[in-house]
Amino acid sequence: MVVTTTSLPLFVLGQGVDPHSERGVDCPGELPPASDPALVARARKAKEALGDRLFVLGHHYQRDEVIQFADVTGDSFKLAREAAARPEAEFIVFCGVHFMAESADILTSERQKVILPDLAAGCSMADMATFDQVEEAWEVLEDAGIAGVTVPVTYMNSSADIKAFCGRHGGAVCTSSNAKRALDWAFEQGEKVLFLPDQHLGRNTAVLEMGLSLDDCVVYNPHRPNGGLTDEQLRNAKMILWRGHCSVHGRFTAENVDDVRARVPGVNVLVHPECRHEVVTKADYVGSTEYIIKQLEAAPAGSTWAVGTELNLVRRLGTMFPDKTVMFLEKTVCYCSTMNRIDLPHLVRSLESLAAGQVVNQITVDPETTHWAKVALDRMLALP
Ligand code: 13P
Ligand code: SF4
């Protein structure tokens, strides 16, 4: 197999391995046909056969056909904690994306095996910050004389080696449920934060939750010399935001919010902090996927909600809360394509292989990366 090492590799029909990407893009093996009417029964049988040796985690953006088999569902923070709290499970099947499975491998013991049912389930946002780019950016900060006072904080949605970079340089990981606490901690350690890779979560948290101004934030573009910034801009900034975003949440616009308010009087607008700043400032409520569910749970019957997050979750909210009206904030935004790669045939293949004594699609992080990434993850888990 030819391994491409350019920063923008092209893979024929999705096959190949990109050593610079957070995702595996090669998922070999025979899948059961999606049309097999026995898939649900097969998954159930394999799961029963594995018993307590198996623990299945499901992110809220997973398909219903998969989420029905999750022992626990959650946002990325909750799932990281759940993975760390299951030392008895020999197999952790992670129905989510690659960076989540990597984090589970880092937080579990060597004896435990973490399985990602489709190795091609990566995350386009995580791929927007590669290790080489981040190392280069750090050199830029060193040359500007500010690396010593800068704390790197990476969103969970990043590769294990970016998390390890943060661990090595005195930084931490955060998720959308604890970004403010992580930034409070980071500003106690240093004067500036390099926030990776989601500029929107970084900006929204800094400006809307911590009282920083938009002028305190600069955007570092890894594709431009010096990040596209002068040394003076870097020295004046408090938040150096990486130029990354979520391809799903980044599509909601401020016009979507205006539009739904004009069409639906009294509507509550509830969005994820990966949305752009102008969307979040126009919304009524902002928070992680777990927060979004709790908001709807607590909402009065008869209330109406326009939700700006991934479509699988919004649809599920509609069925979970039939006494409330739940609508999608923008009709042309679609599912997260990589989350959706985990489907019933992939889950069945993983579970049946494990039940037959064959471990497929295992995610392993090398010991050195694990060590430093765990330092950064543990700093997050220890946040007050
Ligand atoms: P949370 O699970 O932290 O809400 O993040 C959403 C997301 O985009 C996960 O990929
Ligand atoms: Fe990545 Fe966005 Fe998909 Fe989450 S929803 S996995 S951040 S592309």
Side-chain angles (χ1 to χ4, degrees), residues 22 59 61 76 96-100 121-128 155 157 198 245-250 272 274 309-310 334-340:
E22 75 91 22
H59 189 271
Y61 294 165
S76 26
V97 288
H98 191 261
F99 69 79
M100 296 179 181
C123 165
S124 54
M125 177 204 283
D127 281 340
M128 289 177 195
Y155 189 20
N157 303 20
D198 184 11
H245 66 274
C246 166
S247 43
V248 178
H249 293 91
H272 194 280
E274 286 174 17
T309 191
E310 206 269 347
C334 20
Y335 300 100
C336 170
S337 57
T338 48
M339 282 277 181
N340 254 12

PDB file of all heavy atoms in Angstrom, residues 22 59 61 76 96-100 121-128 155 157 198 245-250 272 274 309-310 334-340, ligand 2:
ATOM      1  N   GLU A  22      -5.978  12.420  12.265  1.00  0.00           N
ATOM      2  CA  GLU A  22      -6.446  11.789  13.492  1.00  0.00           C
ATOM      3  C   GLU A  22      -7.293  10.567  13.206  1.00  0.00           C
ATOM      4  O   GLU A  22      -7.637   9.830  14.096  1.00  0.00           O
ATOM      5  CB  GLU A  22      -7.207  12.800  14.356  1.00  0.00           C
ATOM      6  CG  GLU A  22      -8.584  13.164  13.901  1.00  0.00           C
ATOM      7  CD  GLU A  22      -9.667  12.276  14.491  1.00  0.00           C
ATOM      8  OE1 GLU A  22      -9.439  11.658  15.533  1.00  0.00           O
ATOM      9  OE2 GLU A  22     -10.735  12.190  13.876  1.00  0.00           O
ATOM     10  N   HIS A  59     -22.068   8.282  21.547  1.00  0.00           N
ATOM     11  CA  HIS A  59     -22.196   9.748  21.541  1.00  0.00           C
ATOM     12  C   HIS A  59     -23.595  10.129  21.053  1.00  0.00           C
ATOM     13  O   HIS A  59     -24.196   9.432  20.234  1.00  0.00           O
ATOM     14  CB  HIS A  59     -21.118  10.393  20.647  1.00  0.00           C
ATOM     15  CG  HIS A  59     -21.091  11.884  20.785  1.00  0.00           C
ATOM     16  ND1 HIS A  59     -21.868  12.715  20.002  1.00  0.00           N
ATOM     17  CD2 HIS A  59     -20.416  12.689  21.650  1.00  0.00           C
ATOM     18  CE1 HIS A  59     -21.658  13.980  20.379  1.00  0.00           C
ATOM     19  NE2 HIS A  59     -20.782  13.990  21.368  1.00  0.00           N
ATOM     20  N   TYR A  61     -24.622  12.041  18.919  1.00  0.00           N
ATOM     21  CA  TYR A  61     -24.806  12.257  17.474  1.00  0.00           C
ATOM     22  C   TYR A  61     -24.914  10.948  16.696  1.00  0.00           C
ATOM     23  O   TYR A  61     -25.009  10.976  15.463  1.00  0.00           O
ATOM     24  CB  TYR A  61     -23.641  13.056  16.889  1.00  0.00           C
ATOM     25  CG  TYR A  61     -23.515  14.478  17.388  1.00  0.00           C
ATOM     26  CD1 TYR A  61     -22.341  15.192  17.180  1.00  0.00           C
ATOM     27  CD2 TYR A  61     -24.558  15.108  18.049  1.00  0.00           C
ATOM     28  CE1 TYR A  61     -22.210  16.493  17.627  1.00  0.00           C
ATOM     29  CE2 TYR A  61     -24.422  16.410  18.507  1.00  0.00           C
ATOM     30  CZ  TYR A  61     -23.253  17.097  18.294  1.00  0.00           C
ATOM     31  OH  TYR A  61     -23.111  18.382  18.741  1.00  0.00           O
ATOM     32  N   SER A  76     -18.974  14.330  24.812  1.00  0.00           N
ATOM     33  CA  SER A  76     -17.623  13.768  24.851  1.00  0.00           C
ATOM     34  C   SER A  76     -17.033  13.775  26.258  1.00  0.00           C
ATOM     35  O   SER A  76     -16.259  12.897  26.597  1.00  0.00           O
ATOM     36  CB  SER A  76     -16.688  14.432  23.842  1.00  0.00           C
ATOM     37  OG  SER A  76     -17.070  15.711  23.548  1.00  0.00           O
ATOM     38  N   GLY A  96     -18.785   6.504  18.219  1.00  0.00           N
ATOM     39  CA  GLY A  96     -18.488   7.932  18.180  1.00  0.00           C
ATOM     40  C   GLY A  96     -17.438   8.103  17.106  1.00  0.00           C
ATOM     41  O   GLY A  96     -17.422   7.351  16.136  1.00  0.00           O
ATOM     42  N   VAL A  97     -16.528   9.051  17.279  1.00  0.00           N
ATOM     43  CA  VAL A  97     -15.492   9.247  16.254  1.00  0.00           C
ATOM     44  C   VAL A  97     -14.101   8.973  16.826  1.00  0.00           C
ATOM     45  O   VAL A  97     -13.933   8.782  18.033  1.00  0.00           O
ATOM     46  CB  VAL A  97     -15.598  10.631  15.585  1.00  0.00           C
ATOM     47  CG1 VAL A  97     -16.803  10.694  14.663  1.00  0.00           C
ATOM     48  CG2 VAL A  97     -15.637  11.742  16.611  1.00  0.00           C
ATOM     49  N   HIS A  98     -13.140   8.982  15.919  1.00  0.00           N
ATOM     50  CA  HIS A  98     -11.797   8.480  16.227  1.00  0.00           C
ATOM     51  C   HIS A  98     -11.152   9.151  17.441  1.00  0.00           C
ATOM     52  O   HIS A  98     -10.596   8.468  18.310  1.00  0.00           O
ATOM     53  CB  HIS A  98     -10.933   8.683  14.970  1.00  0.00           C
ATOM     54  CG  HIS A  98      -9.622   8.001  15.025  1.00  0.00           C
ATOM     55  ND1 HIS A  98      -8.464   8.651  15.359  1.00  0.00           N
ATOM     56  CD2 HIS A  98      -9.260   6.718  14.794  1.00  0.00           C
ATOM     57  CE1 HIS A  98      -7.455   7.796  15.317  1.00  0.00           C
ATOM     58  NE2 HIS A  98      -7.912   6.618  14.970  1.00  0.00           N
ATOM     59  N   PHE A  99     -11.255  10.495  17.548  1.00  0.00           N
ATOM     60  CA  PHE A  99     -10.572  11.146  18.680  1.00  0.00           C
ATOM     61  C   PHE A  99     -11.178  10.727  20.007  1.00  0.00           C
ATOM     62  O   PHE A  99     -10.503  10.713  21.035  1.00  0.00           O
ATOM     63  CB  PHE A  99     -10.569  12.688  18.519  1.00  0.00           C
ATOM     64  CG  PHE A  99     -11.913  13.356  18.659  1.00  0.00           C
ATOM     65  CD1 PHE A  99     -12.482  13.595  19.888  1.00  0.00           C
ATOM     66  CD2 PHE A  99     -12.613  13.766  17.527  1.00  0.00           C
ATOM     67  CE1 PHE A  99     -13.717  14.219  20.009  1.00  0.00           C
ATOM     68  CE2 PHE A  99     -13.844  14.396  17.639  1.00  0.00           C
ATOM     69  CZ  PHE A  99     -14.403  14.625  18.876  1.00  0.00           C
ATOM     70  N   MET A 100     -12.457  10.359  20.009  1.00  0.00           N
ATOM     71  CA  MET A 100     -13.103   9.921  21.249  1.00  0.00           C
ATOM     72  C   MET A 100     -12.581   8.543  21.649  1.00  0.00           C
ATOM     73  O   MET A 100     -12.325   8.268  22.826  1.00  0.00           O
ATOM     74  CB  MET A 100     -14.619   9.862  21.064  1.00  0.00           C
ATOM     75  CG  MET A 100     -15.242  11.203  20.779  1.00  0.00           C
ATOM     76  SD  MET A 100     -17.021  11.051  20.530  1.00  0.00           S
ATOM     77  CE  MET A 100     -17.414  12.763  20.207  1.00  0.00           C
ATOM     78  N   ALA A 121     -14.359   6.673  10.736  1.00  0.00           N
ATOM     79  CA  ALA A 121     -15.135   7.704  11.439  1.00  0.00           C
ATOM     80  C   ALA A 121     -14.177   8.686  12.106  1.00  0.00           C
ATOM     81  O   ALA A 121     -13.844   8.560  13.291  1.00  0.00           O
ATOM     82  CB  ALA A 121     -16.063   7.052  12.469  1.00  0.00           C
ATOM     83  N   GLY A 122     -13.702   9.639  11.351  1.00  0.00           N
ATOM     84  CA  GLY A 122     -12.794  10.661  11.889  1.00  0.00           C
ATOM     85  C   GLY A 122     -13.567  11.919  12.232  1.00  0.00           C
ATOM     86  O   GLY A 122     -14.773  11.877  12.480  1.00  0.00           O
ATOM     87  N   CYS A 123     -12.881  13.053  12.244  1.00  0.00           N
ATOM     88  CA  CYS A 123     -13.551  14.334  12.502  1.00  0.00           C
ATOM     89  C   CYS A 123     -12.810  15.393  11.715  1.00  0.00           C
ATOM     90  O   CYS A 123     -11.603  15.579  11.894  1.00  0.00           O
ATOM     91  CB  CYS A 123     -13.528  14.647  13.992  1.00  0.00           C
ATOM     92  SG  CYS A 123     -13.927  16.369  14.374  1.00  0.00           S
ATOM     93  N   SER A 124     -13.549  16.086  10.851  1.00  0.00           N
ATOM     94  CA  SER A 124     -12.890  17.078   9.996  1.00  0.00           C
ATOM     95  C   SER A 124     -12.304  18.224  10.825  1.00  0.00           C
ATOM     96  O   SER A 124     -11.269  18.791  10.472  1.00  0.00           O
ATOM     97  CB  SER A 124     -13.873  17.603   8.945  1.00  0.00           C
ATOM     98  OG  SER A 124     -15.033  18.081   9.575  1.00  0.00           O
ATOM     99  N   MET A 125     -12.950  18.551  11.935  1.00  0.00           N
ATOM    100  CA  MET A 125     -12.384  19.624  12.771  1.00  0.00           C
ATOM    101  C   MET A 125     -11.042  19.200  13.358  1.00  0.00           C
ATOM    102  O   MET A 125     -10.062  19.963  13.332  1.00  0.00           O
ATOM    103  CB  MET A 125     -13.334  19.980  13.913  1.00  0.00           C
ATOM    104  CG  MET A 125     -12.738  21.031  14.846  1.00  0.00           C
ATOM    105  SD  MET A 125     -13.427  20.982  16.488  1.00  0.00           S
ATOM    106  CE  MET A 125     -14.993  21.761  16.234  1.00  0.00           C
ATOM    107  N   ALA A 126     -10.995  17.983  13.875  1.00  0.00           N
ATOM    108  CA  ALA A 126      -9.742  17.508  14.483  1.00  0.00           C
ATOM    109  C   ALA A 126      -8.619  17.521  13.453  1.00  0.00           C
ATOM    110  O   ALA A 126      -7.469  17.835  13.767  1.00  0.00           O
ATOM    111  CB  ALA A 126      -9.942  16.113  15.059  1.00  0.00           C
ATOM    112  N   ASP A 127      -8.952  17.221  12.212  1.00  0.00           N
ATOM    113  CA  ASP A 127      -7.927  17.198  11.159  1.00  0.00           C
ATOM    114  C   ASP A 127      -7.442  18.588  10.770  1.00  0.00           C
ATOM    115  O   ASP A 127      -6.486  18.713  10.002  1.00  0.00           O
ATOM    116  CB  ASP A 127      -8.475  16.474   9.927  1.00  0.00           C
ATOM    117  CG  ASP A 127      -8.426  14.968  10.118  1.00  0.00           C
ATOM    118  OD1 ASP A 127      -7.663  14.504  10.975  1.00  0.00           O
ATOM    119  OD2 ASP A 127      -9.149  14.254   9.403  1.00  0.00           O
ATOM    120  N   MET A 128      -8.115  19.622  11.266  1.00  0.00           N
ATOM    121  CA  MET A 128      -7.676  20.984  10.919  1.00  0.00           C
ATOM    122  C   MET A 128      -6.459  21.427  11.729  1.00  0.00           C
ATOM    123  O   MET A 128      -5.918  22.507  11.497  1.00  0.00           O
ATOM    124  CB  MET A 128      -8.835  21.973  11.097  1.00  0.00           C
ATOM    125  CG  MET A 128      -9.900  21.793  10.030  1.00  0.00           C
ATOM    126  SD  MET A 128     -11.297  22.885  10.300  1.00  0.00           S
ATOM    127  CE  MET A 128     -12.526  22.129   9.221  1.00  0.00           C
ATOM    128  N   TYR A 155      -9.366  21.464  22.554  1.00  0.00           N
ATOM    129  CA  TYR A 155     -10.706  20.873  22.627  1.00  0.00           C
ATOM    130  C   TYR A 155     -10.526  19.364  22.487  1.00  0.00           C
ATOM    131  O   TYR A 155      -9.609  18.895  21.800  1.00  0.00           O
ATOM    132  CB  TYR A 155     -11.502  21.440  21.444  1.00  0.00           C
ATOM    133  CG  TYR A 155     -12.986  21.156  21.402  1.00  0.00           C
ATOM    134  CD1 TYR A 155     -13.707  20.786  22.525  1.00  0.00           C
ATOM    135  CD2 TYR A 155     -13.670  21.302  20.196  1.00  0.00           C
ATOM    136  CE1 TYR A 155     -15.071  20.565  22.447  1.00  0.00           C
ATOM    137  CE2 TYR A 155     -15.041  21.080  20.105  1.00  0.00           C
ATOM    138  CZ  TYR A 155     -15.729  20.704  21.235  1.00  0.00           C
ATOM    139  OH  TYR A 155     -17.073  20.482  21.155  1.00  0.00           O
ATOM    140  N   ASN A 157     -11.901  17.487  20.700  1.00  0.00           N
ATOM    141  CA  ASN A 157     -11.971  17.121  19.280  1.00  0.00           C
ATOM    142  C   ASN A 157     -10.632  17.388  18.600  1.00  0.00           C
ATOM    143  O   ASN A 157     -10.495  18.270  17.757  1.00  0.00           O
ATOM    144  CB  ASN A 157     -13.068  17.933  18.579  1.00  0.00           C
ATOM    145  CG  ASN A 157     -14.424  17.767  19.220  1.00  0.00           C
ATOM    146  OD1 ASN A 157     -14.518  17.363  20.382  1.00  0.00           O
ATOM    147  ND2 ASN A 157     -15.470  18.076  18.500  1.00  0.00           N
ATOM    148  N   ASP A 198     -10.799  24.476  17.632  1.00  0.00           N
ATOM    149  CA  ASP A 198     -12.080  25.107  17.267  1.00  0.00           C
ATOM    150  C   ASP A 198     -12.109  26.590  17.650  1.00  0.00           C
ATOM    151  O   ASP A 198     -12.321  26.938  18.809  1.00  0.00           O
ATOM    152  CB  ASP A 198     -13.244  24.370  17.957  1.00  0.00           C
ATOM    153  CG  ASP A 198     -14.597  24.918  17.529  1.00  0.00           C
ATOM    154  OD1 ASP A 198     -14.644  25.713  16.563  1.00  0.00           O
ATOM    155  OD2 ASP A 198     -15.609  24.576  18.167  1.00  0.00           O
ATOM    156  N   HIS A 245     -12.760  24.680  12.605  1.00  0.00           N
ATOM    157  CA  HIS A 245     -14.191  24.771  12.913  1.00  0.00           C
ATOM    158  C   HIS A 245     -14.858  23.426  12.643  1.00  0.00           C
ATOM    159  O   HIS A 245     -14.282  22.568  11.980  1.00  0.00           O
ATOM    160  CB  HIS A 245     -14.855  25.856  12.052  1.00  0.00           C
ATOM    161  CG  HIS A 245     -14.864  25.507  10.592  1.00  0.00           C
ATOM    162  ND1 HIS A 245     -13.802  25.787   9.766  1.00  0.00           N
ATOM    163  CD2 HIS A 245     -15.778  24.859   9.832  1.00  0.00           C
ATOM    164  CE1 HIS A 245     -14.069  25.342   8.557  1.00  0.00           C
ATOM    165  NE2 HIS A 245     -15.263  24.771   8.560  1.00  0.00           N
ATOM    166  N   CYS A 246     -16.083  23.288  13.129  1.00  0.00           N
ATOM    167  CA  CYS A 246     -16.857  22.073  12.846  1.00  0.00           C
ATOM    168  C   CYS A 246     -17.634  22.300  11.552  1.00  0.00           C
ATOM    169  O   CYS A 246     -18.345  23.304  11.410  1.00  0.00           O
ATOM    170  CB  CYS A 246     -17.824  21.799  13.995  1.00  0.00           C
ATOM    171  SG  CYS A 246     -19.080  20.583  13.566  1.00  0.00           S
ATOM    172  N   SER A 247     -17.512  21.336  10.634  1.00  0.00           N
ATOM    173  CA  SER A 247     -18.168  21.507   9.333  1.00  0.00           C
ATOM    174  C   SER A 247     -19.688  21.385   9.439  1.00  0.00           C
ATOM    175  O   SER A 247     -20.404  21.807   8.535  1.00  0.00           O
ATOM    176  CB  SER A 247     -17.606  20.498   8.333  1.00  0.00           C
ATOM    177  OG  SER A 247     -17.484  19.246   8.946  1.00  0.00           O
ATOM    178  N   VAL A 248     -20.195  20.850  10.526  1.00  0.00           N
ATOM    179  CA  VAL A 248     -21.648  20.768  10.722  1.00  0.00           C
ATOM    180  C   VAL A 248     -22.139  22.067  11.385  1.00  0.00           C
ATOM    181  O   VAL A 248     -22.944  22.814  10.817  1.00  0.00           O
ATOM    182  CB  VAL A 248     -22.020  19.540  11.587  1.00  0.00           C
ATOM    183  CG1 VAL A 248     -23.513  19.465  11.835  1.00  0.00           C
ATOM    184  CG2 VAL A 248     -21.508  18.251  10.937  1.00  0.00           C
ATOM    185  N   HIS A 249     -21.632  22.359  12.573  1.00  0.00           N
ATOM    186  CA  HIS A 249     -22.112  23.538  13.311  1.00  0.00           C
ATOM    187  C   HIS A 249     -21.748  24.858  12.635  1.00  0.00           C
ATOM    188  O   HIS A 249     -22.438  25.861  12.803  1.00  0.00           O
ATOM    189  CB  HIS A 249     -21.549  23.521  14.738  1.00  0.00           C
ATOM    190  CG  HIS A 249     -22.090  22.401  15.557  1.00  0.00           C
ATOM    191  ND1 HIS A 249     -21.477  21.175  15.633  1.00  0.00           N
ATOM    192  CD2 HIS A 249     -23.217  22.300  16.303  1.00  0.00           C
ATOM    193  CE1 HIS A 249     -22.181  20.379  16.415  1.00  0.00           C
ATOM    194  NE2 HIS A 249     -23.249  21.029  16.831  1.00  0.00           N
ATOM    195  N   GLY A 250     -20.653  24.847  11.874  1.00  0.00           N
ATOM    196  CA  GLY A 250     -20.221  26.074  11.200  1.00  0.00           C
ATOM    197  C   GLY A 250     -21.193  26.525  10.129  1.00  0.00           C
ATOM    198  O   GLY A 250     -21.081  27.646   9.615  1.00  0.00           O
ATOM    199  N   HIS A 272     -25.301  24.819  19.988  1.00  0.00           N
ATOM    200  CA  HIS A 272     -24.040  24.280  20.511  1.00  0.00           C
ATOM    201  C   HIS A 272     -22.960  25.365  20.371  1.00  0.00           C
ATOM    202  O   HIS A 272     -22.964  26.123  19.394  1.00  0.00           O
ATOM    203  CB  HIS A 272     -23.676  23.032  19.690  1.00  0.00           C
ATOM    204  CG  HIS A 272     -22.609  22.201  20.315  1.00  0.00           C
ATOM    205  ND1 HIS A 272     -21.276  22.524  20.216  1.00  0.00           N
ATOM    206  CD2 HIS A 272     -22.670  21.057  21.045  1.00  0.00           C
ATOM    207  CE1 HIS A 272     -20.563  21.602  20.869  1.00  0.00           C
ATOM    208  NE2 HIS A 272     -21.387  20.704  21.379  1.00  0.00           N
ATOM    209  N   GLU A 274     -20.069  25.222  19.313  1.00  0.00           N
ATOM    210  CA  GLU A 274     -19.246  25.118  18.096  1.00  0.00           C
ATOM    211  C   GLU A 274     -19.822  26.000  16.976  1.00  0.00           C
ATOM    212  O   GLU A 274     -19.221  26.120  15.914  1.00  0.00           O
ATOM    213  CB  GLU A 274     -19.187  23.666  17.605  1.00  0.00           C
ATOM    214  CG  GLU A 274     -18.303  22.774  18.445  1.00  0.00           C
ATOM    215  CD  GLU A 274     -18.388  21.314  18.027  1.00  0.00           C
ATOM    216  OE1 GLU A 274     -18.852  21.018  16.918  1.00  0.00           O
ATOM    217  OE2 GLU A 274     -17.998  20.461  18.842  1.00  0.00           O
ATOM    218  N   THR A 309     -27.787  21.985  16.344  1.00  0.00           N
ATOM    219  CA  THR A 309     -26.722  20.997  16.542  1.00  0.00           C
ATOM    220  C   THR A 309     -26.956  19.867  15.548  1.00  0.00           C
ATOM    221  O   THR A 309     -27.765  20.000  14.621  1.00  0.00           O
ATOM    222  CB  THR A 309     -26.634  20.520  18.019  1.00  0.00           C
ATOM    223  OG1 THR A 309     -25.425  19.769  18.170  1.00  0.00           O
ATOM    224  CG2 THR A 309     -27.807  19.639  18.431  1.00  0.00           C
ATOM    225  N   GLU A 310     -26.268  18.747  15.738  1.00  0.00           N
ATOM    226  CA  GLU A 310     -26.303  17.672  14.741  1.00  0.00           C
ATOM    227  C   GLU A 310     -27.707  17.059  14.629  1.00  0.00           C
ATOM    228  O   GLU A 310     -28.427  16.927  15.637  1.00  0.00           O
ATOM    229  CB  GLU A 310     -25.265  16.621  15.144  1.00  0.00           C
ATOM    230  CG  GLU A 310     -24.733  15.815  14.005  1.00  0.00           C
ATOM    231  CD  GLU A 310     -25.520  14.568  13.751  1.00  0.00           C
ATOM    232  OE1 GLU A 310     -26.350  14.188  14.609  1.00  0.00           O
ATOM    233  OE2 GLU A 310     -25.318  13.951  12.685  1.00  0.00           O
ATOM    234  N   CYS A 334     -26.811  19.118   7.397  1.00  0.00           N
ATOM    235  CA  CYS A 334     -27.097  17.676   7.472  1.00  0.00           C
ATOM    236  C   CYS A 334     -26.407  17.017   8.653  1.00  0.00           C
ATOM    237  O   CYS A 334     -25.818  17.655   9.495  1.00  0.00           O
ATOM    238  CB  CYS A 334     -26.736  16.985   6.175  1.00  0.00           C
ATOM    239  SG  CYS A 334     -25.609  17.873   5.166  1.00  0.00           S
ATOM    240  N   TYR A 335     -26.497  15.700   8.645  1.00  0.00           N
ATOM    241  CA  TYR A 335     -25.873  14.899   9.701  1.00  0.00           C
ATOM    242  C   TYR A 335     -24.366  15.093   9.672  1.00  0.00           C
ATOM    243  O   TYR A 335     -23.795  15.469   8.650  1.00  0.00           O
ATOM    244  CB  TYR A 335     -26.151  13.409   9.439  1.00  0.00           C
ATOM    245  CG  TYR A 335     -27.603  13.050   9.416  1.00  0.00           C
ATOM    246  CD1 TYR A 335     -28.287  12.894   8.214  1.00  0.00           C
ATOM    247  CD2 TYR A 335     -28.308  12.851  10.604  1.00  0.00           C
ATOM    248  CE1 TYR A 335     -29.622  12.555   8.187  1.00  0.00           C
ATOM    249  CE2 TYR A 335     -29.646  12.511  10.584  1.00  0.00           C
ATOM    250  CZ  TYR A 335     -30.300  12.368   9.378  1.00  0.00           C
ATOM    251  OH  TYR A 335     -31.621  12.034   9.362  1.00  0.00           O
ATOM    252  N   CYS A 336     -23.704  14.744  10.774  1.00  0.00           N
ATOM    253  CA  CYS A 336     -22.241  14.691  10.734  1.00  0.00           C
ATOM    254  C   CYS A 336     -21.888  13.401   9.990  1.00  0.00           C
ATOM    255  O   CYS A 336     -22.204  12.300  10.449  1.00  0.00           O
ATOM    256  CB  CYS A 336     -21.659  14.663  12.141  1.00  0.00           C
ATOM    257  SG  CYS A 336     -19.899  14.305  12.093  1.00  0.00           S
ATOM    258  N   SER A 337     -21.252  13.562   8.839  1.00  0.00           N
ATOM    259  CA  SER A 337     -21.056  12.398   7.966  1.00  0.00           C
ATOM    260  C   SER A 337     -20.150  11.356   8.597  1.00  0.00           C
ATOM    261  O   SER A 337     -20.323  10.158   8.367  1.00  0.00           O
ATOM    262  CB  SER A 337     -20.499  12.842   6.611  1.00  0.00           C
ATOM    263  OG  SER A 337     -19.307  13.551   6.822  1.00  0.00           O
ATOM    264  N   THR A 338     -19.191  11.790   9.413  1.00  0.00           N
ATOM    265  CA  THR A 338     -18.292  10.787   9.992  1.00  0.00           C
ATOM    266  C   THR A 338     -18.936  10.088  11.198  1.00  0.00           C
ATOM    267  O   THR A 338     -18.763   8.885  11.376  1.00  0.00           O
ATOM    268  CB  THR A 338     -16.942  11.420  10.359  1.00  0.00           C
ATOM    269  OG1 THR A 338     -17.176  12.627  11.075  1.00  0.00           O
ATOM    270  CG2 THR A 338     -16.122  11.702   9.117  1.00  0.00           C
ATOM    271  N   MET A 339     -19.695  10.823  11.987  1.00  0.00           N
ATOM    272  CA  MET A 339     -20.454  10.166  13.067  1.00  0.00           C
ATOM    273  C   MET A 339     -21.386   9.105  12.475  1.00  0.00           C
ATOM    274  O   MET A 339     -21.546   8.021  13.014  1.00  0.00           O
ATOM    275  CB  MET A 339     -21.308  11.192  13.807  1.00  0.00           C
ATOM    276  CG  MET A 339     -20.552  12.047  14.778  1.00  0.00           C
ATOM    277  SD  MET A 339     -20.374  11.157  16.339  1.00  0.00           S
ATOM    278  CE  MET A 339     -19.494  12.382  17.302  1.00  0.00           C
ATOM    279  N   ASN A 340     -21.967   9.464  11.327  1.00  0.00           N
ATOM    280  CA  ASN A 340     -22.941   8.574  10.698  1.00  0.00           C
ATOM    281  C   ASN A 340     -22.327   7.327  10.085  1.00  0.00           C
ATOM    282  O   ASN A 340     -23.046   6.416   9.696  1.00  0.00           O
ATOM    283  CB  ASN A 340     -23.693   9.350   9.609  1.00  0.00           C
ATOM    284  CG  ASN A 340     -25.097   9.688  10.044  1.00  0.00           C
ATOM    285  OD1 ASN A 340     -25.423   9.542  11.220  1.00  0.00           O
ATOM    286  ND2 ASN A 340     -25.917  10.127   9.119  1.00  0.00           N
TER     287      ASN A 340
HETATM  288 FE1  SF4 B   2     -16.275  16.674  14.197  1.00  0.00          FE
HETATM  289 FE2  SF4 B   2     -18.294  18.420  13.964  1.00  0.00          FE
HETATM  290 FE3  SF4 B   2     -18.690  15.851  13.389  1.00  0.00          FE
HETATM  291 FE4  SF4 B   2     -18.302  16.625  15.945  1.00  0.00          FE
HETATM  292  S1  SF4 B   2     -20.025  17.169  14.640  1.00  0.00           S
HETATM  293  S2  SF4 B   2     -17.373  14.865  14.900  1.00  0.00           S
HETATM  294  S3  SF4 B   2     -16.823  18.311  15.643  1.00  0.00           S
HETATM  295  S4  SF4 B   2     -17.308  17.279  12.300  1.00  0.00           S
END
